C-alpha cells in the first residue's frame, strides 16, 4: 500500500481563492492545538487506565487522527449538531464533551452520561449538539439526514456533520442516508474519515472507486478531499462544506485521508499491517508534530507557549481522572428503567 | 352519523393530528403525489404541502433513520413503509437504533412507522405478518387495530406518544371494515385491550383481521350453546396483561388466534403469561390457532389452507370446552 500522505489529493474548488483557515486568529490556531493535544493526552491516560484494567471494554484510539476530528468540528457552531465515531474523541471535545465525562464513560461509572449503559464515546447531548453513534456503522447518516431535514423544515439556521469511516461507505445505511439527504437538500456534511483500515480490511478491499470522494458524484453532491493530518486543510474543507449547507446548498461529501496507528481497538495486534507502515506515519506524518511545526515556524509561537498548553492539558487530565476514579459504579437497580418515556405499568 | 372505512379512519386521524400539531409530518415513498399505495394519505399533500408530506427515495433504512433524527429534534414524523413486509429492511434501524435511543442515550423518538402488513392474496412479501419480531424488541411499541374506531383512536394515540410506535394495518380491512367514529377527540390508549364480545365458557384472545374470523366463530359457537368471550388485544407491545388475566379468570379456558405464523408467534408469549399469572384458574391447557409455519402462498386455495379459518377456531374451542 502506498503511504497515504502520497495519495493524490484532489484539487478543491476554492471560493475567492482564500482558504477559510487564513481567517483564523492566532488564538483560534492555538485552540486547535489545545484540542488535539487534549485528545492525545486523554487517550494516553485511557491507555494507562486500561493497563490497570479500569477501563470497561475496548479502547478505541484516534492516535494520528486527531487533526481530522478536531479540524472538521472546529467549523461548526454550538447550535450545529455532530455525530462522531468511536475514534473521534477530538470532535466530541470540540463540541463540548468534557474529559471527565469521557473517562466516566470508559470506566462505566454511574455518573457517566450514559449511566453505564453504553460504552466509550457513545453518548450525546442535544444542548451541546452531539449525538453518539451505535455499533452498526453508517446508521448515523440517515439519522443525521433526518435531524438536518428538521432544521430545513423549521427554517432553523443549523447544520449537521456526521463522521463515517472508510468501512461504513460500503453499508446500505450510508448509501441510503446520503442519498436521502442529498435529494432533500438537507444541510448535512458527511465526513469520510479514511484511515486506511476497517478493522483489518484495507480501503482497497472496501471499494474499487479510485478514491472514496468519487462516490459524491453518484449522489449528485459536491465532494472534497483533504489531507486529514493537516488540521488547517481539514478546517478549510469542512468550513466550506458547512458554509454551503448553511446557505441552503445541501450535502457535501468530504474524504479526509489519514492513518490509523493504534489498531482497531486495544486487542488488535495489527499483524496484517505491512511492516514499517505505522512507523513511517508516526515519524513523518504525525498531525500534532506537523501542526506544532506550523505554529512555531510560520506563526512564530514560542516553544514555551506550546509547552504551557501541554501543561494545562496534563493538569486537566489529572483532575478529570481523579474525579472519574472517585465516581460510583452504577447501582443495579438502574438497569430496568428508562426504556420508555411513559413506562407501562 | 355516517360510517367510514378502516382506511378512512386512519387518514382522518393523521389529518386531525397534522391540523392540531405543526410538528407532525409524513415521510415515505409514494405518499404525496400518489397518495400512498392504498391511498391512505390521499389528499394530504394538497392540504399540507410538500414540506409536511414528503415523498422519499425508496430507502427503508433512510426513511426510518431520518424519522428518528427528526424526532430527536422535537418533530413527530409519521412514516409509511410500502408494505410492512418491507419493514424487515429497516429492522436494524428500528431494533438497534430507535428502540435503544432513549435507554442508551436519553434521546426520544416520538415517531410512528405505519403501513399495511396483513392482507390476503398478496403472496409471501406484501401481506407477511411481521409483528412478532418487533414485539420482541424492548423499546418499541406495537399496535394492530381490527376496527375502524380503533384504527383512528390508536393512530391519534401513536402520533402523540413520546416513543416509537409501529402501527400495523391489515390491507383486507381497509375497505371491508367500517365504523362510526365517536364524536370529539377520539383517542384509544395504547396498551389497553378491548372485550369485543362478552362470554362465559371460553376466552378467545386475538388481534387484527383474525378478530373477524373469531367473531364469526363465536356466533357459530353460540348456536351450539358455547358462550365465547373475545378479547381484541389492539396493542401487542406492551401487552395488556390485566385484560388477559381478567378474561381467563372469568372463563377458565383460553384460545389464542392470530394470522401470524406459529413458531415464535405472539400466541406462545401469551400462553406463557397465562401460565405464569393464572395457571390455577385454568380448566384446560391454553391452545392456539395460527398460520402454519410456511411463507404465505399467493393462490387463494393455498393461502386459505395456511391461514387460520373460522372452522379451525370452532374446532379448537370445542376441544377446549370438552377438556
Amino acid at each position: 500500500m502506498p503511504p497515504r500522505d502520497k495519495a493524490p489529493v484532489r484539487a478543491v474548488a476554492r471560493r475567492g481563492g482564500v482558504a477559510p483557515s487564513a481567517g483564523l486568529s492566532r488564538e483560534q490556531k492555538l485552540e486547535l492545538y489545545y484540542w488535539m493535544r487534549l485528545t492525545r493526552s486523554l487517550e494516553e491516560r485511557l491507555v494507562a487506565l486500561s493497563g490497570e484494567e479500569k477501563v470497561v471494554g475496548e479502547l478505541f484510539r484516534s492516535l494520528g487522527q486527531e487533526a481530522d476530528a478536531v479540524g472538521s468540528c472546529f467549523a461548526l457552531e454550538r447550535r450545529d449538531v455532530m455525530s462522531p465515531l468511536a475514534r473521534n474523541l477530538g470532535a466530541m471535545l470540540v463540541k463540548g464533551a468534557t474529559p471527565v465525562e469521557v473517562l466516566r464513560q470508559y470506566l462505566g461509572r454511574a455518573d457517566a452520561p450514559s449511566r453505564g449503559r453504553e460504552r466509550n464515546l457513545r453518548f450525546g447531548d442535544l444542548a451541546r449538539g452531539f449525538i453518539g453513534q451505535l455499533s452498526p456503522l453508517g446508521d448515523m447518516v440517515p439519522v443525521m439526514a433526518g435531524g438536518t431535514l428538521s432544521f430545513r423544515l423549521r427554517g432553523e439556521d443549523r447544520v449537521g456533520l456526521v463522521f463515517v469511516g472508510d468501512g461504513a461507505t460500503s453499508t446500505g445505511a450510508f448509501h441510503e442516508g446520503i442519498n436521502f439527504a442529498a435529494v432533500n437538500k438537507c444541510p448535512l456534511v458527511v465526513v469520510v474519515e479514511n484511515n486506511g483500515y476497517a478493522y483489518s480490511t484495507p480501503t482497497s478491499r472496501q471499494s474499487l472507486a479510485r478514491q472514496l470522494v468519487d462516490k459524491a458524484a453518484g449522489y449528485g453532491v459536491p465532494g472534497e478531499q483533504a489531507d486529514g493530518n493537516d488540521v488547517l486543510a481539514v478546517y478549510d474543507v469542512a468550513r466550506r462544506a458547512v458554509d454551503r449547507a448553511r446557505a441552503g446548498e445541501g450535502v457535501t461529501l468530504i474524504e479526509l485521508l489519514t492513518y490509523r496507528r493504534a489498531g482497531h481497538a486495544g486487542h488488535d495486534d495489527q499483524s496484517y499491517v505491512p511492516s514499517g507502515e505505522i512507523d513511517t506515519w508516526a515519524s513523518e506524518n504525525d498531525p500534532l508534530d506537523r501542526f506544532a511545526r506550523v505554529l512555531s515556524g510560520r506563526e512564530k509561537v514560542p516553544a514555551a507557549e506550546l509547552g504551557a498548553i501541554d501543561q494545562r492539558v496534563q493538569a486537566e487530565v489529572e483532575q478529570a481522572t481523579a474525579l472519574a476514579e472517585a465516581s460510583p459504579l452504577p447501582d443495579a437497580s438502574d438497569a430496568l428503567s428508562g426504556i420508555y418515556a411513559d413506562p407501562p405499568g | 352519523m355516517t360510517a367510514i372505512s378502516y382506511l378512512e379512519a386512519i387518514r382522518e386521524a393523521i389529518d386531525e393530528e397534522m391540523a392540531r400539531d405543526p410538528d407532525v409530518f409524513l415521510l415515505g415513498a409514494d405518499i404525496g403525489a400518489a397518495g400512498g399505495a392504498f391511498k391512505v394519505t390521499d389528499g394530504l399533500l394538497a392540504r399540507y404541502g410538500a414540506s409536511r408530506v414528503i415523498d422519499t427515495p425508496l430507502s427503508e433504512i433512510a426513511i426510518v433513520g431520518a424519522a428518528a433524527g427528526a424526532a430527536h429534534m422535537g418533530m413527530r414524523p409519521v412514516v409509511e413503509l410500502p408494505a410492512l413486509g418491507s419493514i424487515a429492511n429497516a429492522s436494524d434501524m428500528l431494533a438497534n437504533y430507535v428502540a435503544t435511543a432513549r435507554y442508551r442515550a436519553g434521546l426520544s423518538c416520538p415517531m410512528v412507522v405505519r403501513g399495511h402488513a396483513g392482507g390476503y392474496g398478496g403472496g409471501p412479501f406484501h401481506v407477511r405478518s411481521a409483528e412478532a419480531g418487533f414485539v420482541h424488541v424492548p423499546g418499541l411499541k406495537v399496535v394492530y387495530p381490527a376496527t375502524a374506531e380503533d384504527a383512528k383512536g390508536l393512530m391519534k394515540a401513536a402520533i402523540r406518544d413520546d416513543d416509537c410506535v409501529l402501527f400495523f394495518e391489515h390491507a383486507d380491512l381497509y375497505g371491508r371494515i367500517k365504523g362510526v367514529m365517536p364524536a370529539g377527540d377520539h383517542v384509544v390508549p395504547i396498551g389497553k385491550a378491548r372485550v369485543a364480545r362478552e362470554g362465559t365458557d371460553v376466552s378467545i384472545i386475538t388481534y387484527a383481521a383474525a378478530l373477524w374470523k373469531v367473531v364469526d366463530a363465536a356466533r357459530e359457537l353460540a348456536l351450539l350453546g358455547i358462550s365465547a368471550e373475545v378479547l381484541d388485544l389492539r396493542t401487542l407491545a406492551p401487552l395488556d396483561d390485566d385484560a388477559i388475566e381478567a378474561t381467563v379468570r372469568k372463563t377458565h379456558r383460553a384460545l389464542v388466534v392470530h394470522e401470524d405464523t406459529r413458531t415464535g408467534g405472539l400466541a406462545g408469549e401469551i400462553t406463557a403469561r397465562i401460565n405464569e399469572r393464572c395457571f390455577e384458574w385454568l380448566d384446560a391447557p391454553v391452545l392456539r390457532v395460527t398460520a402454519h409455519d410456511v411463507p404465505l402462498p399467493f393462490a387463494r386455495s393455498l393461502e386459505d389452507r395456511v391461514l387460520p379459518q373460522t372452522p379451525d377456531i370452532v374446532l379448537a374451542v370445542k376441544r377446549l370446552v370438552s377438556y
Side-chain angles (χ1 to χ4, degrees):
Chain A
M1 193 175 86
R4 290 204 167 260
D5 55 344
K6 301 289 194 312
V9 174
R10 165 183 285 204
V12 290
R14 297 190 191 284
R15 294 188 173 181
V18 179
S21 60
L24 291 174
S25 67
R26 183 177 188 275
E27 284 66 35
Q28 285 173 310
K29 286 172 186 163
L30 289 176
E31 204 187 322
L32 285 170
Y33 176 82
Y34 163 79
W35 293 123
M36 289 164 67
R37 174 59 69 193
L38 180 59
T39 305
R40 182 158 300 178
S41 297
L42 186 52
E43 283 189 7
E44 283 167 354
R45 175 52 51 89
L46 283 166
V47 171
L49 290 169
S50 193
E52 296 169 39
E53 298 188 346
K54 287 175 177 166
V55 166
V56 181
E58 293 285 358
L59 175 57
F60 296 85
R61 291 212 59 189
S62 68
L63 179 65
Q65 302 178 216
E66 295 90 344
D68 78 65
V70 167
S72 39
C73 264
F74 205 70
L76 295 174
E77 303 292 332
R78 186 177 167 90
R79 63 183 182 279
D80 299 329
V81 178
M82 179 277 297
S83 178
L85 298 167
R87 231 178 286 291
N88 293 134
L89 173 59
M92 300 276 283
L93 296 170
V94 171
K95 214 63 191 81
T98 62
V100 69
E101 285 179 311
V102 173
L103 286 160
R104 284 172 176 151
Q105 277 290 118
Y106 266 106
L107 300 184
R109 299 303 165 113
D111 49 4
S114 77
R115 291 146 63 188
R117 292 168 174 202
E118 179 58 294
R119 36 194 221 158
N120 56 60
L121 298 187
R122 294 172 183 182
F123 66 98
D125 179 9
L126 288 177
R128 287 175 282 179
F130 57 98
I131 297 178
Q133 68 152 149
L134 68 165
S135 288
L137 296 170
D139 277 16
M140 292 313 294
V141 182
V143 173
M144 291 295 289
T148 52
L149 174 67
S150 79
F151 300 158
R152 184 171 74 64
L153 295 178
R154 287 170 155 175
E156 295 174 348
D157 177 25
R158 302 168 79 187
V159 309
L161 186 150
V162 59
F163 287 95
V164 291
D166 36 280
T169 63
S170 301
T171 66
F174 167 81
H175 163 68
E176 289 197 13
I178 191 169
N179 184 61
F180 178 101
V183 166
N184 284 292
K185 283 272 182 205
C186 297
L188 180 65
V189 180
V190 180
V191 175
V192 179
E193 183 185 50
N194 182 355
N195 65 9
Y197 294 92
Y199 204 144
S200 71
T201 308
T203 306
S204 60
R205 301 291 297 170
Q206 289 296 343
S207 174
L208 277 186
R210 194 172 60 87
Q211 44 195 3
L212 296 177
V213 70
D214 289 349
K215 295 191 178 218
Y219 303 111
V221 301
E224 294 204 27
Q225 192 186 58
D227 176 350
N229 285 15
D230 176 347
V231 70
L232 296 179
V234 170
Y235 174 78
D236 285 336
V237 287
R239 184 56 199 263
R240 280 194 292 269
V242 165
D243 288 350
R244 271 197 293 275
R246 227 183 273 293
E249 294 171 36
V251 175
T252 301
L253 177 67
I254 291 175
E255 180 185 12
L256 300 177
L257 299 170
T258 183
Y259 186 81
R260 190 195 68 189
R261 275 160 48 192
H264 174 68
H267 65 267
D268 179 8
D269 65 10
Q270 296 178 278
S271 56
Y272 49 85
V273 173
S275 108
E277 187 177 279
I278 297 169
D279 292 340
T280 304
W281 277 83
S283 60
E284 296 175 13
N285 202 342
D286 180 82
L288 259 163
D289 291 349
R290 282 177 64 181
F291 194 47
R293 282 200 295 275
V294 169
L295 290 173
S296 53
R298 202 168 71 206
E299 302 290 331
K300 300 187 172 52
V301 177
E305 199 171 345
L306 291 182
I309 293 174
D310 296 350
Q311 279 174 13
R312 178 184 147 207
V313 163
Q314 271 313 320
E316 287 175 2
V317 170
E318 292 300 337
Q319 193 184 20
T321 306
L323 279 172
E325 291 209 77
S327 288
L329 294 169
D331 190 296
S333 66
D334 191 45
L336 302 184
S337 63
I339 301 126
Y340 297 96
D342 178 20
Chain B
M1 287 285 228
T2 49
I4 63 171
S5 70
Y6 181 96
L7 183 148
E8 290 163 333
I10 295 167
R11 184 194 298 141
E12 195 168 282
I14 295 171
D15 192 355
E16 286 179 16
E17 291 305 297
M18 290 184 79
R20 191 183 64 80
D21 182 351
D23 286 329
V24 177
F25 75 105
L26 311 185
L27 210 51
D30 310 309
I31 61 167
F38 285 82
K39 302 289 179 191
V40 173
T41 53
D42 199 26
L44 297 176
L45 174 65
R47 181 144 186 209
Y48 295 102
S51 64
R52 294 188 68 195
V53 181
I54 301 175
D55 275 320
T56 67
L58 186 56
S59 306
E60 288 90 350
I61 301 169
I63 298 167
V64 172
H72 293 339
M73 302 302 163
M75 300 197 73
R76 290 188 175 268
V78 179
V79 163
E80 175 173 311
L81 290 184
L84 271 191
S86 72
I87 198 172
N89 296 344
S91 289
D92 160 53
M93 197 54 83
L94 283 165
N96 287 322
Y97 188 76
V98 172
T100 64
R102 180 182 301 282
Y103 185 78
R104 283 187 313 116
L107 292 164
S108 60
C109 294
M111 56 189 272
V112 178
V113 178
R114 54 156 290 270
H116 84 273
Y120 306 126
F125 309 110
H126 281 259
V127 294
R128 187 178 77 83
S129 294
E131 59 270 23
F134 295 99
V135 169
H136 183 66
V137 179
L140 299 177
K141 294 180 179 179
V142 179
V143 302
Y144 204 159
T147 67
E149 295 89 331
D150 287 343
K152 179 174 180 183
L154 282 169
M155 177 57 80
K156 287 171 73 87
I159 293 172
R160 295 180 194 186
D161 201 278
D162 286 332
D163 291 304
C164 176
V165 179
L166 306 189
F167 190 97
F168 285 84
E169 301 162 12
H170 197 286
D172 191 63
L173 304 183
Y174 274 150
R176 179 161 72 91
I177 298 301
K178 293 183 164 61
V180 176
M181 295 302 117
D185 190 29
H186 171 54
V187 179
V188 171
I190 290 171
K192 295 289 173 203
R194 176 185 73 100
V195 176
R197 180 189 172 104
E198 299 266 358
T200 53
D201 297 332
V202 60
S203 297
I204 310 179
I205 299 163
T206 188
Y207 61 90
L211 172 79
W212 301 104
K213 294 175 178 174
V214 168
V215 166
D216 286 345
R219 284 203 197 99
E220 282 186 35
L221 289 162
L223 298 175
L224 303 172
I226 298 167
S227 167
E229 178 149 298
V230 178
L231 186 72
D232 176 5
L233 290 169
R234 306 195 290 188
T235 296
L236 307 184
L239 278 169
D240 188 348
D241 285 318
D242 293 342
I244 293 169
E245 185 173 339
T247 188
V248 173
R249 283 179 179 234
K250 182 179 173 187
T251 68
H252 314 296
R253 290 177 173 82
L255 173 71
V256 188
V257 180
H258 58 55
E259 290 189 334
D260 196 356
T261 46
R262 193 172 190 82
T263 303
L266 219 54
E269 173 64 26
I270 292 165
T271 302
R273 291 185 186 213
I274 292 170
N275 284 337
E276 286 162 356
R277 291 174 69 108
C278 35
F279 180 73
E280 298 83 358
W281 294 80
L282 288 172
D283 288 341
V286 180
L287 296 185
R288 54 185 169 161
V289 173
T290 68
H292 291 273
D293 285 336
V294 296
L296 196 59
F298 169 66
R300 194 65 192 242
S301 58
L302 302 177
E303 186 188 70
D304 283 351
R305 174 71 180 83
V306 171
L307 292 177
Q309 305 299 339
T310 301
D312 304 320
I313 300 163
V314 170
L315 195 65
V317 169
K318 284 180 179 169
R319 262 187 72 197
L320 267 180
V321 294
S322 65
Y323 210 85

